Amino acid sequence: MAEASSDSGPDNSHKRGDASGPTPSGGAALRTPAAGSGAGAVQLPAWTKALGWCGVAGLIYLLICAVSIISRGFAGLGTDAAHTMFAFAAHPWVGLSVGVLGTVLIQSSTTTTAIAVTAVGSGALPLQGAIPIILGANVGTTVTTSLVALTFIGDRTEFRRALGASTVHDFYNWLALLIFFPIELIWHPLEHISGTLTNALYGTDWLPNPAHFNFIRAATRPVEHGVIHATSHVSSTLGPLFTILIGAALILVAVRYLGKLLKLLMVGRARDILIKAVGRNAYLAMASGMGVTVVTQSSTITTSVLVPFAGAGILTPAQVYPVVVGSNLGTTFTVVFAAFAGVGQDAKIGLQAAFVHLIYNLFAIVVIYVIPLLRPVPLYCAENLARIASEHRWVLAVYLGTVFIALPALVIVLVGVL
């Protein structure tokens, strides 16, 4: 097969598939049955699509309600009790580990980040405590795509290709964390820049003030009051705790099923967009990855869609790489949107916490991808891990179990609990 070209050279393996010749932009225009004609995509009747989009609107409404419910729950606890809940995560290394492990367990960085942002916006968690959690969630979300590569474990060559493409996401986010986490601990640039941006835009025509969105408050108030009423029959401490748990569960449900529903409605179209974009230009691929992630509300969907193409040798890890970078940025917009549901005197700082996530991923793109010096590092690490793991399958289990579960859990127990 004529493999699709990339900046780092073609994949030397030989599998089925085809690619057309180079395009003027220096990439390759890919031709596959799935990408070219939409074959394999689920064709839904018009009425089913209409119901699906109504479901999307309903789940977005539920997400906004859930954020408001958590805010009310923290407010009901009182300042001292709310701070006590997050006291164990006050240490930055514990907060980082909570972000990684929490995201691995619930399989949603958006949920983890939204809860942290809401806690900041309600005054329960200081911004300095939320930043490590947000950075950890950025890493924890990558494990899902690595698990997708396990579906190719029966064929050594396909497994190597799929794992190389999927773990680019891992190593890109680990490298970003390695660079920016120590810098943030010492000089706090994310905190300062996000604060400056929030102060400049909050309440101006450039950025709407959430306090002015009275129609959102009016729309969410019935659900919010219903939950508050349902939990008001227990003690003054347990009631707000149950309210927070219900809100967190609603965020998890909303994000999880929003992703599933949008995947059903959009995955065929999203796949076509991504496959066409990756063979043309790296920055077009990055923009496509960001756009598809904004639409599907999940970076995991964006990256997982491409893993089978990488396993088949149609795409190389180098071509998947910019899509991963774009999807990382795209996933931040959901949390910024959710931050607008915050109310009260700390809503502004909650929005600042959401901007931390956005700015962090923007900086990571500039430092790691735009500047050529560090750009090859995630790709080199991913391809070498894939090569070793394809020869020794246990290596992947050790890597995932140690880095994403054992190490964060150990930090939480030793530093945060003991």
Side-chain angles (χ1 to χ4, degrees), residues 173-200:
N173 280 341
W174 280 118
L175 181 58
L177 184 68
L178 185 65
I179 294 170
F180 290 104
F181 186 57
I183 293 174
E184 182 63 24
L185 291 180
I186 299 171
W187 292 292
H188 312 291
L190 295 175
E191 180 183 349
H192 296 323
I193 295 172
S194 63
T196 302
L197 180 64
T198 304
N199 289 333

mmCIF file of all heavy atoms in Angstrom, residues 173-200:
data_model
loop_
_atom_site.group_PDB
_atom_site.id
_atom_site.type_symbol
_atom_site.label_atom_id
_atom_site.label_comp_id
_atom_site.label_asym_id
_atom_site.label_seq_id
_atom_site.Cartn_x
_atom_site.Cartn_y
_atom_site.Cartn_z
ATOM 1 N N ASN A 173 0.404 15.451 26.849
ATOM 2 C CA ASN A 173 -0.108 16.042 28.082
ATOM 3 C C ASN A 173 0.853 15.869 29.250
ATOM 4 O O ASN A 173 0.941 16.747 30.121
ATOM 5 C CB ASN A 173 -1.477 15.445 28.427
ATOM 6 C CG ASN A 173 -2.589 16.066 27.620
ATOM 7 O OD1 ASN A 173 -2.431 17.148 27.070
ATOM 8 N ND2 ASN A 173 -3.717 15.389 27.515
ATOM 9 N N TRP A 174 1.578 14.754 29.285
ATOM 10 C CA TRP A 174 2.584 14.594 30.342
ATOM 11 C C TRP A 174 3.703 15.618 30.175
ATOM 12 O O TRP A 174 4.203 16.179 31.160
ATOM 13 C CB TRP A 174 3.167 13.181 30.322
ATOM 14 C CG TRP A 174 2.319 12.145 30.979
ATOM 15 C CD1 TRP A 174 1.753 11.039 30.399
ATOM 16 C CD2 TRP A 174 1.922 12.092 32.356
ATOM 17 N NE1 TRP A 174 1.037 10.324 31.315
ATOM 18 C CE2 TRP A 174 1.126 10.938 32.529
ATOM 19 C CE3 TRP A 174 2.170 12.907 33.461
ATOM 20 C CZ2 TRP A 174 0.578 10.586 33.756
ATOM 21 C CZ3 TRP A 174 1.612 12.555 34.687
ATOM 22 C CH2 TRP A 174 0.829 11.403 34.825
ATOM 23 N N LEU A 175 4.124 15.855 28.943
ATOM 24 C CA LEU A 175 5.170 16.842 28.695
ATOM 25 C C LEU A 175 4.699 18.240 29.080
ATOM 26 O O LEU A 175 5.446 19.020 29.686
ATOM 27 C CB LEU A 175 5.596 16.806 27.218
ATOM 28 C CG LEU A 175 6.714 17.772 26.806
ATOM 29 C CD1 LEU A 175 7.979 17.529 27.622
ATOM 30 C CD2 LEU A 175 7.002 17.638 25.306
ATOM 31 N N ALA A 176 3.447 18.569 28.732
ATOM 32 C CA ALA A 176 2.892 19.876 29.120
ATOM 33 C C ALA A 176 2.876 20.019 30.637
ATOM 34 O O ALA A 176 3.216 21.082 31.180
ATOM 35 C CB ALA A 176 1.486 20.028 28.553
ATOM 36 N N LEU A 177 2.487 18.959 31.319
ATOM 37 C CA LEU A 177 2.460 18.989 32.785
ATOM 38 C C LEU A 177 3.866 19.149 33.353
ATOM 39 O O LEU A 177 4.088 19.923 34.295
ATOM 40 C CB LEU A 177 1.823 17.699 33.305
ATOM 41 C CG LEU A 177 1.618 17.612 34.819
ATOM 42 C CD1 LEU A 177 0.556 18.605 35.258
ATOM 43 C CD2 LEU A 177 1.228 16.197 35.219
ATOM 44 N N LEU A 178 4.819 18.424 32.794
ATOM 45 C CA LEU A 178 6.202 18.489 33.256
ATOM 46 C C LEU A 178 6.780 19.900 33.114
ATOM 47 O O LEU A 178 7.554 20.355 33.956
ATOM 48 C CB LEU A 178 7.053 17.492 32.460
ATOM 49 C CG LEU A 178 8.517 17.333 32.878
ATOM 50 C CD1 LEU A 178 8.605 16.744 34.282
ATOM 51 C CD2 LEU A 178 9.254 16.450 31.876
ATOM 52 N N ILE A 179 6.359 20.601 32.077
ATOM 53 C CA ILE A 179 6.857 21.962 31.846
ATOM 54 C C ILE A 179 6.140 22.979 32.723
ATOM 55 O O ILE A 179 6.775 23.796 33.413
ATOM 56 C CB ILE A 179 6.693 22.343 30.357
ATOM 57 C CG1 ILE A 179 7.595 21.469 29.471
ATOM 58 C CG2 ILE A 179 7.020 23.829 30.146
ATOM 59 C CD1 ILE A 179 7.311 21.624 27.993
ATOM 60 N N PHE A 180 4.811 22.946 32.737
ATOM 61 C CA PHE A 180 4.054 24.054 33.321
ATOM 62 C C PHE A 180 3.725 23.881 34.801
ATOM 63 O O PHE A 180 3.519 24.879 35.493
ATOM 64 C CB PHE A 180 2.760 24.274 32.525
ATOM 65 C CG PHE A 180 2.993 24.839 31.159
ATOM 66 C CD1 PHE A 180 2.893 24.038 30.030
ATOM 67 C CD2 PHE A 180 3.351 26.165 30.996
ATOM 68 C CE1 PHE A 180 3.124 24.560 28.768
ATOM 69 C CE2 PHE A 180 3.580 26.695 29.747
ATOM 70 C CZ PHE A 180 3.469 25.891 28.622
ATOM 71 N N PHE A 181 3.653 22.653 35.295
ATOM 72 C CA PHE A 181 3.308 22.475 36.709
ATOM 73 C C PHE A 181 4.372 23.063 37.636
ATOM 74 O O PHE A 181 4.037 23.835 38.561
ATOM 75 C CB PHE A 181 3.065 20.995 37.011
ATOM 76 C CG PHE A 181 2.566 20.731 38.397
ATOM 77 C CD1 PHE A 181 1.406 21.334 38.873
ATOM 78 C CD2 PHE A 181 3.263 19.875 39.253
ATOM 79 C CE1 PHE A 181 0.944 21.085 40.161
ATOM 80 C CE2 PHE A 181 2.806 19.623 40.533
ATOM 81 C CZ PHE A 181 1.656 20.230 40.987
ATOM 82 N N PRO A 182 5.665 22.759 37.431
ATOM 83 C CA PRO A 182 6.675 23.404 38.289
ATOM 84 C C PRO A 182 6.698 24.927 38.145
ATOM 85 O O PRO A 182 6.870 25.649 39.140
ATOM 86 C CB PRO A 182 8.002 22.787 37.798
ATOM 87 C CG PRO A 182 7.620 21.536 37.097
ATOM 88 C CD PRO A 182 6.284 21.803 36.491
ATOM 89 N N ILE A 183 6.515 25.403 36.917
ATOM 90 C CA ILE A 183 6.498 26.854 36.692
ATOM 91 C C ILE A 183 5.337 27.497 37.440
ATOM 92 O O ILE A 183 5.480 28.563 38.057
ATOM 93 C CB ILE A 183 6.418 27.164 35.184
ATOM 94 C CG1 ILE A 183 7.713 26.725 34.485
ATOM 95 C CG2 ILE A 183 6.163 28.644 34.944
ATOM 96 C CD1 ILE A 183 7.670 26.870 32.983
ATOM 97 N N GLU A 184 4.186 26.846 37.416
ATOM 98 C CA GLU A 184 3.013 27.376 38.114
ATOM 99 C C GLU A 184 3.220 27.382 39.623
ATOM 100 O O GLU A 184 2.799 28.315 40.319
ATOM 101 C CB GLU A 184 1.770 26.558 37.750
ATOM 102 C CG GLU A 184 0.476 27.045 38.371
ATOM 103 C CD GLU A 184 0.084 28.445 37.923
ATOM 104 O OE1 GLU A 184 0.517 28.873 36.830
ATOM 105 O OE2 GLU A 184 -0.651 29.110 38.669
ATOM 106 N N LEU A 185 3.880 26.341 40.146
ATOM 107 C CA LEU A 185 4.133 26.283 41.585
ATOM 108 C C LEU A 185 5.042 27.419 42.045
ATOM 109 O O LEU A 185 4.893 27.933 43.161
ATOM 110 C CB LEU A 185 4.770 24.940 41.948
ATOM 111 C CG LEU A 185 3.890 23.690 41.841
ATOM 112 C CD1 LEU A 185 4.678 22.451 42.250
ATOM 113 C CD2 LEU A 185 2.638 23.826 42.695
ATOM 114 N N ILE A 186 5.972 27.825 41.194
ATOM 115 C CA ILE A 186 6.958 28.842 41.583
ATOM 116 C C ILE A 186 6.465 30.255 41.272
ATOM 117 O O ILE A 186 6.500 31.149 42.137
ATOM 118 C CB ILE A 186 8.299 28.578 40.872
ATOM 119 C CG1 ILE A 186 8.846 27.201 41.267
ATOM 120 C CG2 ILE A 186 9.316 29.670 41.217
ATOM 121 C CD1 ILE A 186 10.042 26.759 40.446
ATOM 122 N N TRP A 187 6.005 30.483 40.048
ATOM 123 C CA TRP A 187 5.685 31.853 39.607
ATOM 124 C C TRP A 187 4.186 32.113 39.380
ATOM 125 O O TRP A 187 3.792 33.244 39.177
ATOM 126 C CB TRP A 187 6.460 32.171 38.324
ATOM 127 C CG TRP A 187 7.940 32.267 38.543
ATOM 128 C CD1 TRP A 187 8.605 33.225 39.258
ATOM 129 C CD2 TRP A 187 8.937 31.372 38.053
ATOM 130 N NE1 TRP A 187 9.957 32.982 39.246
ATOM 131 C CE2 TRP A 187 10.203 31.852 38.499
ATOM 132 C CE3 TRP A 187 8.921 30.207 37.260
ATOM 133 C CZ2 TRP A 187 11.394 31.204 38.204
ATOM 134 C CZ3 TRP A 187 10.107 29.564 36.971
ATOM 135 C CH2 TRP A 187 11.329 30.066 37.440
ATOM 136 N N HIS A 188 3.360 31.095 39.336
ATOM 137 C CA HIS A 188 1.898 31.223 39.186
ATOM 138 C C HIS A 188 1.468 32.001 37.932
ATOM 139 O O HIS A 188 0.576 32.856 38.005
ATOM 140 C CB HIS A 188 1.295 31.904 40.414
ATOM 141 C CG HIS A 188 1.763 31.334 41.717
ATOM 142 N ND1 HIS A 188 1.406 30.068 42.152
ATOM 143 C CD2 HIS A 188 2.588 31.844 42.674
ATOM 144 C CE1 HIS A 188 1.974 29.828 43.327
ATOM 145 N NE2 HIS A 188 2.701 30.879 43.660
ATOM 146 N N PRO A 189 2.047 31.723 36.771
ATOM 147 C CA PRO A 189 1.657 32.489 35.578
ATOM 148 C C PRO A 189 0.220 32.224 35.141
ATOM 149 O O PRO A 189 -0.463 33.151 34.688
ATOM 150 C CB PRO A 189 2.656 32.018 34.510
ATOM 151 C CG PRO A 189 3.100 30.672 34.968
ATOM 152 C CD PRO A 189 3.114 30.743 36.461
ATOM 153 N N LEU A 190 -0.266 30.992 35.279
ATOM 154 C CA LEU A 190 -1.645 30.697 34.870
ATOM 155 C C LEU A 190 -2.631 31.472 35.728
ATOM 156 O O LEU A 190 -3.632 32.010 35.229
ATOM 157 C CB LEU A 190 -1.917 29.188 34.967
ATOM 158 C CG LEU A 190 -1.120 28.281 34.034
ATOM 159 C CD1 LEU A 190 -1.420 26.816 34.330
ATOM 160 C CD2 LEU A 190 -1.431 28.600 32.574
ATOM 161 N N GLU A 191 -2.355 31.528 37.016
ATOM 162 C CA GLU A 191 -3.228 32.278 37.925
ATOM 163 C C GLU A 191 -3.225 33.763 37.583
ATOM 164 O O GLU A 191 -4.291 34.397 37.508
ATOM 165 C CB GLU A 191 -2.765 32.063 39.365
ATOM 166 C CG GLU A 191 -3.600 32.800 40.393
ATOM 167 C CD GLU A 191 -3.077 32.625 41.801
ATOM 168 O OE1 GLU A 191 -2.192 31.758 42.012
ATOM 169 O OE2 GLU A 191 -3.530 33.369 42.701
ATOM 170 N N HIS A 192 -2.049 34.327 37.346
ATOM 171 C CA HIS A 192 -1.950 35.766 37.079
ATOM 172 C C HIS A 192 -2.559 36.141 35.728
ATOM 173 O O HIS A 192 -3.307 37.121 35.623
ATOM 174 C CB HIS A 192 -0.488 36.211 37.129
ATOM 175 C CG HIS A 192 0.148 36.056 38.476
ATOM 176 N ND1 HIS A 192 -0.531 36.298 39.651
ATOM 177 C CD2 HIS A 192 1.402 35.656 38.846
ATOM 178 C CE1 HIS A 192 0.265 36.081 40.685
ATOM 179 N NE2 HIS A 192 1.447 35.675 40.222
ATOM 180 N N ILE A 193 -2.238 35.366 34.694
ATOM 181 C CA ILE A 193 -2.737 35.700 33.348
ATOM 182 C C ILE A 193 -4.243 35.515 33.268
ATOM 183 O O ILE A 193 -4.956 36.348 32.695
ATOM 184 C CB ILE A 193 -2.021 34.852 32.280
ATOM 185 C CG1 ILE A 193 -0.529 35.215 32.245
ATOM 186 C CG2 ILE A 193 -2.641 35.063 30.904
ATOM 187 C CD1 ILE A 193 0.296 34.299 31.371
ATOM 188 N N SER A 194 -4.754 34.423 33.864
ATOM 189 C CA SER A 194 -6.207 34.211 33.846
ATOM 190 C C SER A 194 -6.920 35.298 34.633
ATOM 191 O O SER A 194 -8.018 35.739 34.255
ATOM 192 C CB SER A 194 -6.552 32.830 34.413
ATOM 193 O OG SER A 194 -6.163 32.727 35.776
ATOM 194 N N GLY A 195 -6.310 35.761 35.720
ATOM 195 C CA GLY A 195 -6.905 36.850 36.492
ATOM 196 C C GLY A 195 -6.944 38.142 35.709
ATOM 197 O O GLY A 195 -7.955 38.865 35.727
ATOM 198 N N THR A 196 -5.866 38.447 35.016
ATOM 199 C CA THR A 196 -5.828 39.649 34.186
ATOM 200 C C THR A 196 -6.867 39.580 33.072
ATOM 201 O O THR A 196 -7.573 40.564 32.798
ATOM 202 C CB THR A 196 -4.424 39.826 33.574
ATOM 203 O OG1 THR A 196 -3.454 39.912 34.622
ATOM 204 C CG2 THR A 196 -4.367 41.085 32.717
ATOM 205 N N LEU A 197 -6.978 38.413 32.438
ATOM 206 C CA LEU A 197 -7.954 38.244 31.353
ATOM 207 C C LEU A 197 -9.379 38.376 31.875
ATOM 208 O O LEU A 197 -10.219 39.047 31.251
ATOM 209 C CB LEU A 197 -7.747 36.870 30.696
ATOM 210 C CG LEU A 197 -8.679 36.518 29.533
ATOM 211 C CD1 LEU A 197 -8.466 37.465 28.363
ATOM 212 C CD2 LEU A 197 -8.445 35.069 29.080
ATOM 213 N N THR A 198 -9.653 37.766 33.010
ATOM 214 C CA THR A 198 -11.002 37.842 33.583
ATOM 215 C C THR A 198 -11.354 39.270 33.974
ATOM 216 O O THR A 198 -12.465 39.746 33.708
ATOM 217 C CB THR A 198 -11.108 36.920 34.814
ATOM 218 O OG1 THR A 198 -10.742 35.593 34.447
ATOM 219 C CG2 THR A 198 -12.529 36.907 35.358
ATOM 220 N N ASN A 199 -10.413 39.962 34.596
ATOM 221 C CA ASN A 199 -10.668 41.355 34.995
ATOM 222 C C ASN A 199 -10.907 42.247 33.781
ATOM 223 O O ASN A 199 -11.709 43.182 33.839
ATOM 224 C CB ASN A 199 -9.488 41.889 35.801
ATOM 225 C CG ASN A 199 -9.392 41.263 37.176
ATOM 226 O OD1 ASN A 199 -10.396 40.837 37.738
ATOM 227 N ND2 ASN A 199 -8.180 41.182 37.711
ATOM 228 N N ALA A 200 -10.206 41.954 32.685
ATOM 229 C CA ALA A 200 -10.335 42.788 31.490
ATOM 230 C C ALA A 200 -11.640 42.544 30.756
ATOM 231 O O ALA A 200 -12.206 43.460 30.155
ATOM 232 C CB ALA A 200 -9.154 42.534 30.547
#
